[in-house]
Amino acid sequence: MTEVIIVRNEDEAGEIYARCVAGLIKAKPDCVLGLATGSSPLAGYRHLARLVKDEGIDVSGVRGFALDEYAGLDPNHPESYRSVITRTVVEPLGLDPAKVHVPNGNLDTIRDAGHEYDAAIEAAGGVDVQILGIGTDGHIGFNEPGSSLASGTRIKTLTEQTRIDNARFFDGDIDQVPTHCITQGIGTIMKARHLILMAFGDGKAEAVAETVEGGVSSLCPASVLQLHPHATVIVDEAAASRLRNKDYYRWAYAHKPAWQGI
Ligand code: GLP
């Protein structure tokens, strides 16, 4: 079953993620982190950076792979996912930039970039923990509704809704939001050994309910988490508001023995 943890706020969710990943880095100093952009993972990165500093955790061997990138956007653009990952993860944590990879959205090479990216993840031994946000339409990475649940990293066309949602990063102007992207496929994401999806606010409530308690369907790409052997969904009260089994999730987490781990 997908474990659902209902927290008070993003900070509490961030702490849970940070404790989990800090423990992983200590146990496996060359672990592979799956990284995501968007606002949902930010508290997790912030808390992880604090733990790394406070506990003097050596992160020099940590490797990372981001989920996605806009197609044709200059990697130096402040909203390219290369820039966002550098700003929110690589720099605050002090990771070695050479060990952190983002799909290459350069239009000249994009047709081969997907296969190469999947091969690089595989050569690294696969992702240990993949953090995920979720789009209001249930997308993960940039796998929009209708994406193959077995897909590898590839070019995708963004939906109008995703471009509207992301216009806030481009001066509120949808015309500046790229129309295409390169994203890890759902099959790629599913190979990660542990998935942690975070969602906050009532705008995500419907997508979360579909993900956890709806049928598994490409119409809600995140619902594929139900097929993953180790998936954790961390949500605040607002994002949890449409879950039918809320009381059970709450009870299970409140009574979770320490030995069960995350
Ligand atoms: C973008 C990213 C996704 C992210 C989503 C939600 O579409 N490609 O990886 O999950 O935004 O972002 P937020 O967490 O800001 O709501």
Side-chain angles (χ1 to χ4, degrees):
M1 178 195 108
T2 305
E3 180 180 27
V4 179
I5 304 175
I6 303 172
V7 293
R8 280 185 306 272
N9 51 39
E10 301 192 28
D11 248 355
E12 198 182 336
E15 274 174 28
I16 295 171
Y17 168 79
R19 273 201 309 275
C20 167
V21 174
L24 171 70
I25 299 172
K26 287 180 200 164
K28 186 179 177 188
D30 66 344
C31 62
V32 180
L33 302 182
L35 305 168
T37 56
S39 51
S40 308
L42 291 179
Y45 299 148
R46 218 172 34 242
H47 281 284
L48 183 58
R50 182 183 48 78
L51 280 185
V52 164
K53 190 160 169 267
D54 289 357
E55 300 185 13
I57 302 170
D58 178 10
V59 296
S60 59
V62 172
R63 296 166 292 164
F65 286 89
L67 283 175
D68 45 10
E69 179 59 286
Y70 291 110
L73 191 65
D74 182 344
N76 295 315
H77 187 289
E79 294 307 330
S80 78
Y81 283 176
R82 159 67 68 188
S83 298
V84 172
I85 291 291
T86 300
R87 205 162 57 229
T88 60
V89 184
V90 176
E91 289 174 352
L93 265 73
L95 301 186
D96 178 352
K99 294 190 171 128
V100 178
H101 309 273
V102 179
N104 188 344
N106 184 317
L107 298 183
D108 295 335
T109 50
I110 199 164
R111 285 173 63 183
D112 295 324
H115 294 298
E116 289 167 6
Y117 202 68
D118 284 342
I121 295 175
E122 200 134 336
V127 169
D128 289 297
V129 177
Q130 174 66 59
I131 190 167
L132 295 167
I134 183 170
T136 51
D137 58 4
H139 74 244
I140 46 175
F142 266 139
N143 293 283
E144 300 286 23
S147 293
S148 157
L149 299 183
S151 46
T153 302
R154 72 222 181 287
I155 302 165
K156 286 291 290 180
T157 310
L158 299 178
T159 61
E160 181 84 357
Q161 184 59 54
T162 296
R163 294 182 65 234
I164 291 169
D165 288 347
N166 289 5
R168 66 190 194 276
F169 299 114
F170 294 87
D171 307 322
D173 177 9
I174 188 175
D175 293 333
Q176 288 184 41
V177 184
T179 51
H180 291 75
C181 67
I182 174 165
T183 180
Q184 278 192 34
I186 298 179
T188 313
I189 293 170
M190 286 291 281
K191 286 185 189 155
R193 288 180 274 280
H194 184 191
L195 302 179
I196 300 181
L197 184 145
M198 303 214 189
F200 310 106
D202 51 13
K204 300 288 174 74
E206 199 174 322
V208 167
E210 279 293 310
T211 295
V212 178
E213 297 177 342
V216 175
S217 161
S218 65
L219 284 180
C220 176
S223 64
V224 75
L225 261 68
Q226 294 177 39
L227 300 176
H228 195 282
H230 191 185
T232 308
V233 172
I234 310 180
V235 287
D236 64 3
E237 291 289 345
S241 59
R242 299 214 186 166
L243 288 170
R244 273 186 286 175
N245 277 336
K246 232 179 350 196
D247 292 343
Y248 172 68
Y249 307 137
R250 231 191 288 276
W251 196 92
Y253 189 64
H255 295 84
K256 187 172 177 173
W259 44 258
Q260 202 175 354
I262 179 180

